[in-house]
Amino acid sequence: MSAYRRKTISIIERFTELFSKLEDRNEEDQKQKISEMKGIIDEMNKEEFKSVITKELFDKICRIFEEKKLPAENMILLLKHVGCVNVLKNVWVHGFEESSLKEKIKKMMIDESEKDEGKREKLLADLCECYLMLNIGNSSELYPICVPCLLKVALKKEENEETQNEAEMALLALCCICSLSEMEPKLFLNETKDIIKYHQEHHNLTRLAYQSAWEFLICRLWSQKSLEDAIIDELHFCREAERELKELMKCVDWKRKEEIEKGKETKEEIHLVGWLRTLKIYLEYSGLHGKEQVDLINLVIQIFQESNADQIEIRTWCMSIFRGAAGCRAVKIKDLLESGAADVILEEI
């Protein structure tokens, strides 16, 4: 596509045109088209993403897959990227839940997991990641398949980029499991603790993977209050969260203006939002109000003070933490007033 034409058609039209050509291409050509589509998806803001990632799109993917015009490998390449963007940009499109593709992926997962011989572990992990990242109301009946499979991927210790990327995707998918889902600790606790401890000693995970591991574990606090000891005393969540937030504060460009109006966050901003979300879940479910918790909230006040009015996601999560903290008296009201956070909260109300 010429540079001139690229400028004269919309990002949505570019994506739609590439997708329409998939079923008429061979496997290698499809990979090239999907690579281009992934690049276009990265350019999209939330509204553009929602307008193309629909039930109709998923149904079409299912149709051409069933007609053997799209190999499973290529389908997964596209779906995993869509799912990853869906989670990182906090978009949560609903089309997959209502599509024929959801049932197709679900059946493939179950069939693969039930094989006594010839089980394809990589395919099963890929399918689990697609299912969890695209399906907001993911079914608890599949957790006994998804959780052990993806934790096994995240437990790999090889120090190379491919292993890091695989662990990152597996943990990102796991943290999509609803916080209200009840899950037996034997399904996840020892493995998740091992993942976090190993990173604390060897720094083998990416920043996103480490935050995702914590979010997955802390979301289980809703139904497993007994996890508090492991999270606070054994794994030292408050210390780790404080360090990560301080490092990210140094990385975020607080003065930037370009692209903000289009709703595009930088990688550092996305990672910061992830930690703020994890902290919000922790404060809500733990109900603890000690010095470490207060120090974390004061750090969030600093983040709020650094942010500008256009960094909406960051400010939204900060305000959510402030509301919860003020309601349970975990931070002094005067600190919120001095930070300017209270004024913004009142405006929102």
Side-chain angles (χ1 to χ4, degrees), residues 64-306:
I64 61 177
F65 172 69
E66 290 183 326
E67 292 175 356
K68 302 189 185 304
K69 296 178 180 178
L70 181 67
E73 180 183 354
N74 287 353
M75 177 180 71
I76 287 168
L77 276 177
L78 178 58
L79 291 179
K80 282 178 70 170
H81 192 73
V82 170
C84 185
V85 172
N86 189 41
V87 177
L88 290 180
K89 292 189 176 181
N90 201 30
V91 184
W92 301 115
V93 293
H94 291 267
F96 181 79
E97 294 176 271
E98 305 157 359
S99 71
S100 55
L101 185 60
K102 173 188 170 182
E103 293 307 313
K104 171 60 67 174
I105 296 289
K106 182 177 176 180
K107 184 178 185 305
M108 291 172 68
M109 290 166 60
I110 294 172
D111 289 347
E112 197 64 38
S113 69
E114 291 179 346
K115 288 181 179 178
D116 292 325
E117 297 181 3
K119 184 184 294 185
R120 293 170 290 180
E121 298 285 354
K122 176 68 166 63
L123 174 62
L124 181 58
D126 287 339
L127 293 171
C128 290
E129 288 163 4
C130 292
Y131 182 82
L132 292 177
M133 291 192 293
L134 292 170
N135 189 28
I136 301 171
N138 42 68
S139 174
S140 59
E141 68 179 292
L142 294 180
Y143 295 164
I145 296 175
C146 293
V147 175
C149 174
L150 296 182
L151 286 175
K152 184 178 179 180
V153 173
L155 278 164
K156 292 180 180 178
K157 303 295 194 298
E158 295 87 351
E159 295 184 8
N160 57 63
E161 186 176 353
E162 181 180 358
T163 300
Q164 278 196 327
N165 290 339
E166 289 177 354
E168 180 179 273
M169 192 65 72
L171 290 166
L172 184 65
L174 282 171
C175 76
C176 296
I177 293 177
C178 175
S179 61
L180 302 183
S181 300
E182 294 193 30
M183 195 183 299
E184 287 295 323
K186 65 182 180 181
L187 193 63
F188 67 89
L189 183 55
N190 289 337
E191 291 83 356
T192 309
K193 283 166 57 177
D194 286 348
I195 289 166
I196 291 174
K197 283 182 177 179
Y198 191 84
H199 174 77
Q200 290 175 346
E201 294 176 10
H202 303 280
H203 307 288
N204 64 307
L205 297 175
T206 65
R207 177 169 275 154
L208 174 60
Y210 188 49
Q211 178 266 314
S212 298
W214 271 115
E215 184 167 346
F216 169 67
L217 181 59
I218 286 173
C219 279
R220 314 281 72 82
L221 263 175
W222 175 79
S223 59
Q224 301 287 338
K225 290 295 184 182
S226 59
L227 298 180
E228 284 182 357
D229 288 343
I231 288 170
I232 298 165
D233 299 326
E234 188 176 352
L235 300 176
H236 310 289
F237 171 73
C238 292
R239 180 195 69 193
E240 296 295 297
E242 182 177 6
R243 191 194 68 249
E244 292 288 329
L245 286 169
K246 285 181 176 178
E247 288 182 3
L248 282 164
M249 282 183 69
K250 298 174 185 176
C251 298
V252 170
D253 181 0
W254 298 108
K255 306 298 182 183
R256 82 178 186 95
K257 291 291 183 181
E258 70 278 5
E259 301 298 332
I260 287 183
E261 293 180 1
K262 297 181 181 179
K264 296 178 181 177
E265 297 87 17
T266 65
K267 179 176 69 174
E268 292 77 15
E269 288 170 350
I270 289 172
H271 291 169
L272 181 60
V273 165
W275 273 104
L276 290 172
R277 182 177 61 245
T278 304
L279 177 57
K280 168 69 165 58
I281 297 167
Y282 165 75
L283 292 170
E284 180 179 348
Y285 292 161
S286 74
L288 299 174
H289 311 139
K291 181 181 183 302
E292 287 186 323
Q293 287 78 13
V294 172
D295 288 345
L296 275 171
I297 295 167
N298 286 332
L299 184 56
V300 176
I301 291 175
Q302 294 177 38
I303 292 170
F304 183 86
Q305 290 172 322
E306 290 283 352

Side-chain angles (χ1 to χ4, degrees), residues 20-49:
S20 68
K21 296 176 179 177
L22 274 186
E23 59 184 305
D24 299 323
R25 303 300 174 106
N26 62 40
E27 188 170 344
E28 287 306 311
D29 284 347
Q30 284 182 350
K31 286 182 180 178
Q32 177 58 39
K33 295 297 178 189
I34 289 171
S35 178
E36 293 178 44
M37 291 166 68
K38 288 164 63 176
I40 293 172
I41 288 170
D42 290 339
E43 294 178 35
M44 291 178 178
N45 60 33
K46 289 185 179 182
E47 294 308 311
E48 291 165 337
F49 186 81

